[in-house]
Amino acid sequence: MSPSPSLAQRTPLYAQHLTAEAKMVDFAGWEMPIHYGSQLEEHHQVRNDAGMFDVSHMVVLDITGSDATDFLRYLLANDVARIQTPGKALYSCLLNERGGVIDDLIVYFMAEDKYRMVVNAATRDKDLTWIRQQALSPHKKGRDVKIRERDDLAMIAVQGPNARDKTHAALGANINAARELKPFFAADCNDSKSDLFVARTGYTGEDGYEIILPAEQAGATWEALLAAGVKPIGLGARDTLRLEAGMNLYGQDMDEDVSPLEAGLNWTVAFTPEDRDFIGRAALTQQKTDGPANKLVGLILEDRGVLRAHQKVITEHGEGEITSGSFSPTLGKSIALARVPTAATEHCQVEIRGKQLAARIVKYPFARNGKSLFD
Amino acid sequence: MSNVPTELKYTKSHEWVRTETDGSITVGITDHAQELLGDMVFIELPETEANYTAGDECAVVESVKAASDVYSPITGEVIAINEELADAPETVNEDAFDTGWMFKMQPEDAGEIDELMSAEAYAELIAEEEH
């Protein structure tokens, strides 16, 4: 047996993480900051002020060509026909034929023949293989679609109630085109010095931007944001923030054996217009008719303890499982996302180390825009 | 580099042990351990009067990141627990070797304490882990 030669990759902001005394960990083959001292403080920093995440490990794909729209309407469960306005963003699942989730992503409409897609780092290889396979499938021969991976780009997410103001202060006239953006829209902000793609999107439940930019401009942009009072935030707080915001994490809350209908993502599947053929449609239509056996719910632990992924959930209508769980810094209690039988409501027990603790079934999100949504 | 007080004894699983004048011991997790685990949010302590054998799981510390077991450093009976930790688990992050103590035990055989790691040996162990 030979040892695996693969070394963890580093983002263009690696030096900045070391300067900020980050604790670095391996994440999907990347050396990434898990925290810079205290995950809890970083969490509150984003809910109360402004923080930034290096998310350069995420994968940016540019999809171009005269058949790009038709191709994406077939590839994705959500319908890009809904975003035919420059800069408009759409969240969608990428499904297999069984309706299972290969990945979740955001796609931006730039022009009829130009889209930008951001997919997860951990699923890069299988996503690219799948997408290219679909683009080349024999019955779509001669179709004009090009898929280009933009590994020349970095990505910084700036999130929090003061994130936009501080970003405007840090980047000045460079991002004038972003100032008037509505939520879930993006704009290109180019001048002689910089080339930023700025989107008013995120993964925290707070307002803010995700900035995609050339790798060589990442360091200077990070430092300008730092000087404007935006603090670096690690992947640890990113996970508790997205959990409070009720946002699914691919590989934990859904995967290839779970359909969007069982992952609380019904709203991202465009069944209309009925004549749009998309991958997984037949399987999802069947599941919708039969009624899905399970649903994704929020849990709040009423006893003391911490909910964690894979703990057993016991309801009056059968058993379920926690898919993501942690301590919620905003609520000061433990919360989770769990997949439970569709009929389950209100009360359940969670098995933690052989003991059954009381939990409440709730509708997520748990927190947004700086506030807890529960007492 | 983490703090390793010389007057304490240590285990490979990162507990510290202090022998009190009455022959009982006080147990907690080391500064190095709390640093690795990150912000503490919940601590499950043993019941008083419970008996454990050296190496038994007897408490659980939960940080935002994960749950980790705490092991009984010796064989004996739990005679007290730090009830303050229920409402202030962060004390373990702030002061692992003093107010962040977890429980006290009455050892069955005081000789077992001498077999635990010295501060010097423990400092070597964590230096190795850090490389």
Side-chain angles (χ1 to χ4, degrees):
Chain A
M1 290 225 328
S2 61
S4 160
S6 69
L7 280 172
Q9 290 180 270
R10 292 172 176 178
T11 75
L13 292 165
Y14 182 76
Q16 279 73 15
H17 300 318
L18 296 193
T19 304
E21 298 183 350
K23 165 126 180 78
M24 304 298 284
V25 296
D26 179 88
F27 179 84
W30 291 83
E31 220 176 316
M32 300 299 290
I34 184 85
H35 63 73
Y36 300 84
S38 166
Q39 180 178 331
L40 283 180
E41 278 169 30
E42 289 165 26
H43 181 107
H44 293 306
Q45 173 70 24
V46 173
R47 282 272 177 265
N48 301 328
D49 185 2
M52 61 181 158
F53 306 82
D54 175 12
V55 282
S56 303
H57 58 311
M58 293 191 79
V59 181
V60 179
L61 303 175
D62 282 345
I63 299 183
T64 55
S66 57
D67 295 319
T69 301
D70 282 349
F71 173 63
L72 290 173
R73 293 193 75 198
Y74 171 68
L75 183 75
L76 303 178
N78 212 338
D79 188 359
V80 296
R82 293 175 171 184
I83 54 163
Q84 300 294 305
T85 307
K88 198 162 183 189
L90 185 77
Y91 172 81
S92 181
C93 288
L94 183 68
L95 302 179
N96 58 30
E97 291 290 354
R98 294 178 292 118
V101 183
I102 295 172
D103 199 6
D104 65 338
L105 55 87
I106 288 184
V107 59
Y108 299 93
F109 175 94
M110 305 316 295
E112 243 173 272
D113 58 352
K114 191 176 179 219
Y115 292 82
R116 172 163 281 183
M117 222 155 84
V118 180
V119 307
N120 284 302
T123 50
R124 175 194 172 273
D125 295 355
K126 69 164 187 174
D127 288 7
L128 277 172
T129 305
W130 176 260
I131 294 167
R132 289 195 168 124
Q133 219 170 34
Q134 300 310 317
L136 296 171
S137 69
H139 65 287
K140 309 282 177 186
K141 218 170 173 183
R143 188 156 54 178
D144 176 27
V145 179
K146 284 178 220 64
I147 295 144
R148 184 176 162 215
E149 183 183 8
R150 298 297 305 270
D151 52 10
D152 54 324
L153 300 178
M155 187 162 165
I156 301 170
V158 192
Q159 302 277 293
N162 300 326
R164 291 175 63 236
D165 283 347
K166 289 190 172 178
T167 306
H168 299 160
L171 305 182
N174 290 5
I175 62 148
N176 272 346
R179 282 173 190 261
E180 304 302 323
L181 281 177
K182 291 192 204 116
F184 246 63
F185 273 85
D188 272 313
C189 303
N190 303 324
D191 64 16
S192 55
K193 287 180 304 201
S194 67
D195 178 13
L196 310 175
F197 175 91
V198 181
R200 196 167 164 194
T201 51
Y203 193 50
T204 60
E206 296 300 323
D207 201 352
Y209 293 129
E210 291 178 299
I211 303 170
I212 298 174
L213 71 174
E216 61 275 14
Q217 290 169 21
T221 303
W222 181 271
E223 272 146 28
L225 288 162
L226 204 58
V230 181
K231 299 218 171 112
I233 313 293
L235 292 185
R238 185 169 169 82
D239 192 48
T240 48
L241 287 158
R242 70 91 195 166
L243 178 61
E244 286 185 347
M247 292 170 166
N248 291 35
L249 172 60
Y250 187 79
Q252 255 185 246
D253 304 305
M254 76 289 205
D255 57 33
E256 292 189 30
D257 297 319
V258 173
S259 91
L261 307 186
E262 293 184 303
L265 297 174
N266 311 40
W267 60 278
T268 73
V269 181
F271 285 105
T272 54
E274 277 166 25
D275 61 357
R276 181 178 69 104
D277 180 29
F278 65 85
I279 301 167
R281 175 164 200 141
L284 291 191
T285 304
Q286 185 61 48
Q287 199 179 62
K288 208 176 156 195
T289 311
D290 300 345
N294 298 302
K295 62 177 177 181
L296 195 72
V297 295
L299 298 184
I300 297 178
L301 185 65
E302 293 180 320
D303 291 329
R304 280 180 190 266
V306 183
L307 302 171
R308 303 280 183 193
H310 310 302
Q311 288 168 348
K312 193 200 287 179
V313 181
I314 301 150
T315 79
E316 284 174 14
H317 300 273
E319 287 180 2
E321 188 180 281
I322 290 181
T323 54
S324 289
S326 187
F327 174 79
S328 158
T330 306
L331 273 65
K333 293 175 186 173
S334 183
I335 59 168
L337 295 177
R339 190 161 293 109
V340 299
T342 305
T345 51
E346 290 184 53
H347 298 288
C348 65
Q349 272 82 44
V350 179
E351 201 169 285
I352 303 179
R353 294 185 286 275
K355 283 182 217 156
Q356 292 191 0
L357 304 185
R360 185 154 55 111
I361 297 175
V362 300
K363 272 194 182 161
Y364 52 85
F366 302 94
R368 268 204 180 168
N369 298 319
K371 286 190 199 78
S372 165
L373 302 175
F374 292 90
D375 297 330
Chain B
M1 192 60 208
S2 305
N3 178 21
V4 182
T6 51
E7 69 277 18
L8 304 178
K9 289 284 202 175
Y10 298 88
T11 66
K12 269 190 244 172
S13 47
H14 307 289
E15 291 84 14
W16 59 260
V17 173
R18 186 174 65 224
T19 309
E20 309 297 348
T21 47
D22 63 359
S24 69
I25 61 162
T26 303
V27 182
I29 64 165
T30 65
D31 192 40
H32 174 73
Q34 71 76 21
E35 212 175 288
L36 283 182
L37 295 167
D39 298 304
M40 295 295 167
V41 293
F42 176 67
I43 293 167
E44 191 177 300
L45 294 173
E47 308 267 328
T48 48
E49 296 179 19
N51 283 284
Y52 292 100
T53 304
D56 282 355
E57 295 164 10
C58 63
V60 179
V61 288
E62 300 231 26
S63 69
V64 196
K65 264 189 278 178
S68 308
D69 292 316
V70 178
Y71 300 93
S72 180
I74 50 120
T75 299
E77 185 188 349
V78 176
I79 55 170
I81 57 170
N82 185 356
E83 289 180 15
E84 309 278 315
L85 297 183
D87 290 318
E90 65 278 8
T91 312
V92 175
N93 295 115
E94 290 157 4
D95 192 12
F97 290 117
D98 190 7
T99 50
W101 68 276
M102 293 187 178
F103 52 91
K104 292 180 192 284
M105 293 180 87
Q106 190 59 51
E108 210 173 270
D109 168 14
E112 239 187 333
I113 302 167
D114 299 330
E115 288 162 29
L116 297 171
M117 295 174 92
S118 67
E120 200 182 346
Y122 182 70
E124 260 172 53
L125 174 84
I126 61 178
E128 271 168 37
E129 275 186 14
E130 277 166 10
H131 290 285

